Amino acid sequence: MTGQVLVLNSGSSSIKYRLIDLASRRWTARGLVERIGENGGLLVHGDVRVERRFPSHEEGLRAVLAAFAEHGPSLDGVTAVGHRVVHGGSRFVEPTLIDEEVERAIEELAPLAPLHNPANLEGIRVARRAFPGLPHVAVFDTAFHATIPPYAHTYAVPREWTDELGVRRYGFHGTSAAYVSRRAAELLGRPYDEVNSIVLHLGNGASATAVRGGRSVDTSMGITPLPGLVMGTRSGDVDPALPAYLNRVAGMSVQDVDAALNRDSGLLGMCGANDMREVWRLVDAGDPHARLAMDVYGYRVRAYVGAYVAALGRVDAIVFTAGVGENDSRTRSLALTGLSRLGIEVDAGRNAAPSREARVVSPDGAEVAVLVVPTDEELEIADQTAARVAALAR
Ligand SMILES: Nc1ncnc2c1ncn2[C@@H]1O[C@H](COP(=O)(O)OP(=O)(O)O)[C@@H](O)[C@H]1O
Ligand SMILES: CC(=O)OP(=O)(O)O
Ligand SMILES: [Mg+2]
């Protein structure tokens, strides 16, 4: 397929977008709208910056389209629009052409990803109105995890919940895990279907995924994107009895506890900052809460790595990606401390050397390669969108 794909990644308070040329597989425009619905909104379109309030995703996306019209490049060559959708439930395990019915199904899945699916859907609605003649394709975060075996995705709960209410592990960040695990195999010069890896996607949201021969076999997030690793504002794993306990002793409602575990917990809850750069600044200033927060963060990653070594049996690569994983050598080193008996080691010099490229940061000859691979969810979405549209045309 030739032409260009416009990729939209609508988050809870942001829209990231990319215009990707399919022939060269390079982007020709990129940008983002930040702090949607808050004061201090910002649109960055290439070199152009617009500072104003964007009350909704609809207004944000309109401003993006206006920026394309005013500053270029032209959107006339766009042949399809690809949308990141976080939760696809059990139904959406492939990139899917969006129609009214698919929109409704994404809406019905919103309770499973309340921070994400509503924003994704708003992006889809505005874009479908702006480009009514183009195919729009949804690429789901959950899809890559459809291969997780039942013993790893089933919760030990009453069977009716599983059978009738869709209660199970789904997992997220799958588009990213698919992209970086494939890149990791390329970097190692080995066939994708022979490489076992553990992907550590450490961004504002964070997850660990075990990949065996190109297929996800376990992941740390669950029915929602709340469990697993410590995140910017999400708790990750807690005792499932916590909502009931807090209800009993503090009179908090289930909704209040859920909101607090999603928005006021994680690094933010433990030390008052959710941006990793700020957390390290606090650590360096001697803040004991920030120090403990980082120790919890590192320990949790380590514990998941250990679990996934057990799940995979043989591990060829550990792959760091996303905002923290790609940029923060201190967190990488903390996360893998004390794992040398598992063959996992980080070379201090390689790890600390700044780079934007995919690279190896373990010592030569290490049993397990430790890699840093910048994720590119937008390129992966563009590829999957183009493949879906090409299949339709056949
Ligand atoms: N240079 C850096 N050093 C350490 N952490 C960073 C750096 N740049 C970004 N981050 C972290 O990455 C996070 C954003 O990661 P990203 O993958 O873009 O998250 P999301 O897609 O969930 O918004 C920030 O909240 C911050 O904690
Ligand atoms: C699913 C999820 O956590 O996504 P993000 O990291 O973009 O918040
Ligand atoms: Mg992300």
Side-chain angles (χ1 to χ4, degrees):
M1 189 179 159
T2 55
Q4 299 189 312
V5 177
L6 178 64
V7 176
L8 296 178
N9 180 348
S10 304
S12 50
S13 66
S14 67
I15 303 169
K16 295 182 196 164
Y17 62 92
R18 208 74 76 92
L19 184 60
I20 292 175
D21 182 64
L22 291 169
S24 65
R25 299 185 79 255
R26 292 185 180 280
W27 56 267
T28 52
R30 66 188 289 182
L32 71 136
V33 188
E34 281 182 324
R35 289 189 286 278
I36 293 172
E38 300 166 30
N39 288 326
L42 174 67
L43 162 71
V44 181
H45 177 77
D47 300 335
V48 181
R49 289 170 66 90
V50 181
E51 287 175 45
R52 70 169 173 89
R53 199 180 145 78
F54 298 100
S56 63
H57 282 74
E58 168 145 14
E59 295 257 352
L61 195 47
R62 285 193 193 296
V64 170
L65 298 176
F68 271 108
E70 191 176 337
H71 305 282
S74 161
L75 292 174
D76 291 349
V78 173
T79 46
V81 185
H83 297 267
R84 178 189 184 205
V85 180
V86 163
H87 214 307
S90 297
R91 171 171 166 190
F92 296 113
V93 298
E94 299 280 350
T96 302
L97 189 71
I98 302 171
D99 58 17
E100 300 301 313
E101 197 269 324
V102 170
E103 265 190 27
R104 270 198 304 280
I106 293 170
E107 189 164 24
E108 281 164 18
L109 291 163
L112 293 169
L115 256 36
H116 295 92
N117 268 39
N120 304 155
L121 191 63
E122 210 171 310
I124 288 171
R125 290 196 165 131
V126 178
R128 285 187 74 211
R129 258 180 271 131
F131 302 100
L134 293 180
H136 290 251
V137 174
V139 176
F140 297 89
D141 260 47
T142 44
F144 182 62
H145 300 300
T147 49
I148 294 177
Y151 60 78
H153 75 58
T154 303
Y155 293 140
V157 296
R159 212 169 61 221
E160 304 82 78
W161 298 2
T162 308
D163 294 348
E164 288 156 34
L165 301 175
V167 172
R168 52 162 285 183
R169 181 190 306 285
Y170 291 97
F172 303 89
H173 293 145
T175 308
S176 172
Y179 178 82
V180 302
S181 59
R182 187 159 13 78
R183 287 283 295 124
E186 284 168 18
L187 205 66
L188 298 177
R190 296 184 44 193
Y192 189 33
D193 60 4
E194 289 176 12
V195 173
N196 292 354
S197 57
I198 299 173
V199 174
L200 299 172
H201 178 112
L202 310 180
N204 197 25
S207 64
T209 296
V211 183
R212 177 184 289 130
R215 295 158 71 87
S216 172
V217 294
D218 202 357
T219 194
S220 60
M221 286 178 165
I223 183 169
T224 73
L226 181 58
L229 305 181
V230 174
M231 312 184 211
T233 67
R234 282 171 253 167
S235 59
D237 291 335
V238 293
D239 184 331
L242 192 56
Y245 174 76
L246 290 173
N247 178 261
R248 243 180 358 258
V249 301
M252 293 175 73
S253 70
V254 171
Q255 288 75 12
D256 287 347
V257 177
D258 188 60
L261 291 174
N262 274 290
R263 297 171 196 266
D264 309 324
S265 298
L267 294 170
L268 182 70
M270 286 187 285
C271 73
N274 66 304
D275 190 300
M276 195 56 95
R277 290 161 286 196
E278 175 64 8
V279 178
W280 280 123
R281 206 189 55 70
L282 292 170
V283 171
D284 291 337
D287 185 320
H289 304 296
R291 182 66 258 173
L292 177 62
M294 285 314 302
D295 289 342
V296 175
Y297 188 103
Y299 177 70
R300 188 80 57 82
V301 175
R302 253 175 347 257
Y304 268 94
V305 168
Y308 291 166
V309 169
L312 289 169
R314 188 199 79 229
V315 180
D316 303 298
I318 294 189
V319 193
F320 283 98
T321 195
V324 176
E326 291 166 28
N327 296 302
D328 187 346
S329 58
R330 252 171 120 176
T331 299
R332 286 195 298 264
S333 144
L334 174 72
L336 299 184
T337 302
L339 299 181
S340 54
R341 296 208 32 206
L342 297 176
I344 299 166
E345 270 178 278
V346 170
D347 178 274
R350 286 180 181 173
N351 185 42
S355 165
R356 301 217 154 272
E357 303 298 315
R359 60 199 183 275
V360 178
V361 297
S362 45
D364 289 334
E367 203 176 314
V368 179
V370 180
L371 310 178
V372 178
V373 178
T375 194
D376 197 336
E377 287 166 295
E378 286 80 11
L379 182 58
E380 181 69 25
I381 290 170
D383 281 342
Q384 294 195 21
T385 297
R388 184 75 199 90
V389 172
L392 284 174
R394 275 202 292 273

